[in-house]
Amino acid sequence: MITLKRLQNISSTRFRRMLHVVKVFKGHSPVYPRFVQLLLTYKCNATCPFCYQDAEKMKIPDMSISDAQVIERNIKKSFNFKPRIHFFGGEPTVNADFVEILKYFSNSGYKTSMTTNGINLLKFGREIVEAEGFKDIHISLNDLDFDRVLSTLKQISDIDVNKSLYITLNCPITEINQDKLIDIVEKFEHSKAHCLTFQHRGFIWHNGFTLMDHKLIKDQYEIIRKRKSSIPILFHPNIKSENIEAYYTDKKFPYNMNKCYFPWFVLFVQPNGNIIPCDEINIMVGNAVTESLKDIWNNSEYVAFRRNIIQNGISHSICHRCDHREY
């Protein structure tokens, strides 16, 4: 799972200092975004039953290379350093301009990364590996076709002769794989992946939650935690064993934090250039194609959104099960 702290490789001390800045400056962000998430498209070439993407968002046209170039120039003009660029979706590789956008940001000196379902990964494998500054790829393990993913990992690793690419497997825990967590560890711990992250499903109002066997998940969690693996095996959010039952059965399960710090450090750009403080909340605070990002970053709408989080905490109707604020 992608988290602000992990993507930016921020030390614990530095991260605490950043959070202190949030408290002092309240709704304003005195630091420019560390991380820009470019949503290249909301379309996807998979049909995962647990996907939370809004069908209405899929009607938004994909980001074009010309708009991506305008956004890059806007970033360069607005901020005094280059943030990390993370390509996301939907599935970013179904955007017809994906390779051009990737090359453009890489050639412009940005560190880049991507989340993908891996279906098109071999199609663009060489372009991805050879892109200057491309460091991290997060592959979602969404089905039980493990052999396909293993083959993809091996072929990508063969292309990556300099071994500069860090590959993380993100595995959502769902009704179709909840009895196979140990099998997944055994299958992939000696693969070409560098890390395996199991993701507890975040949105309890999905009907799929009624099909989840918390005891089965807990039993496997405890076994996996005790075993020695050749790669890091993580769970996100990092729920304690004794709290797994409550997480999957109690709609009011309490998280450790009632705040979210993403709006102070992360910029979300939709395919049409609209800026949103969070991809789960349909609040537009500006447009990266037509407005200055420097002006948007601390405009009245953005500041009001951040200040509301400080004063009132997160929205329990929208954000309650979102686990990003854990980190």
Side-chain angles (χ1 to χ4, degrees):
M1 173 62 112
I2 301 171
T3 64
L4 170 65
K5 181 178 175 182
R6 186 167 161 211
L7 273 174
Q8 295 302 316
N9 194 24
I10 301 170
S11 69
S12 296
T13 301
R14 188 178 174 194
F15 192 66
R16 286 195 296 270
R17 289 174 181 169
M18 289 169 66
L19 299 189
H20 177 70
V21 167
V22 169
K23 296 176 183 178
V24 171
F25 286 87
K26 299 184 178 179
H28 288 81
S29 180
V31 295
Y32 292 136
R34 310 285 306 177
F35 166 51
V36 174
Q37 182 157 294
L38 285 184
L39 298 146
L40 300 186
T41 179
Y42 280 118
K43 300 178 182 68
C44 188
N45 53 355
T47 56
C48 303
F50 53 84
C51 182
Y52 58 85
Q53 287 287 13
D54 186 346
E56 285 299 311
K57 289 181 178 178
M58 296 183 187
K59 299 177 183 178
I60 298 176
D62 293 356
M63 185 177 293
S64 66
I65 178 60
S66 58
D67 280 353
Q69 290 170 340
V70 171
I71 292 169
E72 188 279 324
R73 290 193 291 268
N74 199 347
I75 292 172
K76 185 184 298 182
K77 185 176 180 180
S78 297
F79 308 133
N80 57 11
F81 74 98
K82 288 183 168 68
R84 167 75 68 90
I85 306 296
H86 187 76
F87 302 114
F88 199 65
E91 168 54 40
T93 63
V94 304
N95 182 311
D97 291 342
F98 165 69
V99 171
E100 288 185 84
I101 294 172
L102 168 66
K103 288 182 177 179
Y104 183 79
F105 275 92
S106 296
N107 293 338
S108 298
Y110 294 84
K111 291 183 179 179
T112 56
S113 55
M114 177 175 69
T115 296
T116 174
N117 59 29
I119 294 175
N120 285 341
L121 202 51
L122 293 181
K123 180 180 179 181
F124 303 114
R126 190 163 298 280
E127 288 88 347
I128 291 171
V129 169
E130 293 178 353
E132 186 70 26
F134 192 92
K135 299 298 182 185
D136 297 280
I137 189 163
H138 301 257
I139 303 175
S140 299
L141 190 60
N142 294 332
D143 55 38
L144 302 180
D145 192 356
F146 301 152
D147 289 339
R148 173 185 65 81
V149 179
L150 284 168
S151 176
T152 297
L153 289 171
K154 183 181 184 308
Q155 292 182 65
I156 289 295
S157 180
D158 290 343
I159 296 172
D160 183 24
V161 293
N162 295 322
K163 306 305 176 191
S164 60
L165 193 62
Y166 190 90
I167 303 174
T168 297
L169 284 178
N170 295 330
C171 181
I173 302 175
T174 69
E175 59 272 19
I176 68 170
N177 69 9
Q178 61 182 328
D179 62 336
K180 298 177 175 61
L181 305 188
I182 295 174
D183 293 342
I184 291 171
V185 171
E186 293 175 346
K187 196 80 171 177
F188 288 98
E189 67 176 339
H190 298 297
S191 70
K192 299 300 182 178
H194 299 94
C195 179
L196 170 62
T197 299
F198 288 105
Q199 298 172 222
H200 294 288
R201 293 176 69 174
F203 302 101
I204 201 167
W205 53 81
H206 281 197
N207 293 332
F209 252 88
T210 61
L211 304 175
M212 303 302 288
D213 186 336
H214 58 80
K215 186 178 185 305
L216 180 62
I217 294 171
K218 177 181 178 181
D219 290 345
Q220 293 175 95
Y221 169 89
E222 292 177 346
I223 292 172
I224 292 170
R225 280 301 195 196
K226 291 177 182 177
R227 64 175 287 149
K228 292 183 179 179
S229 299
S230 57
I231 61 173
I233 310 295
L234 310 175
F235 283 80
H236 183 90
N238 190 20
I239 306 168
K240 293 181 180 179
S241 177
E242 60 267 26
N243 292 330
I244 290 178
E245 178 180 357
Y247 180 87
Y248 281 98
T249 58
D250 183 2
K251 288 186 177 181
K252 296 182 179 179
F253 177 80
Y255 277 83
N256 293 337
M257 296 172 65
N258 190 35
K259 298 290 190 293
C260 174
Y261 298 104
F262 263 59
W264 279 263
F265 303 108
V266 182
L267 194 66
F268 293 90
V269 186
Q270 291 185 305
N272 56 5
N274 284 346
I275 302 295
I276 48 178
C278 172
D279 193 36
E280 300 307 316
I281 299 176
N282 291 320
I283 298 177
M284 190 186 80
V285 296
N287 186 283
V289 177
T290 60
E291 303 172 60
S292 164
L293 284 172
K294 183 176 181 180
D295 294 338
I296 294 172
W297 187 237
N298 278 308
N299 67 16
S300 58
E301 293 88 354
Y302 228 139
V303 169
F305 182 86
R306 297 186 187 114
R307 190 168 291 161
N308 183 65
I309 292 176
I310 292 176
Q311 294 174 348
N312 303 313
I314 53 91
S315 166
H316 285 272
S317 61
I318 299 173
C319 314
H320 176 56
R321 297 297 301 206
C322 177
D323 47 43
H324 283 302
R325 65 183 185 278
E326 282 280 292
Y327 294 84

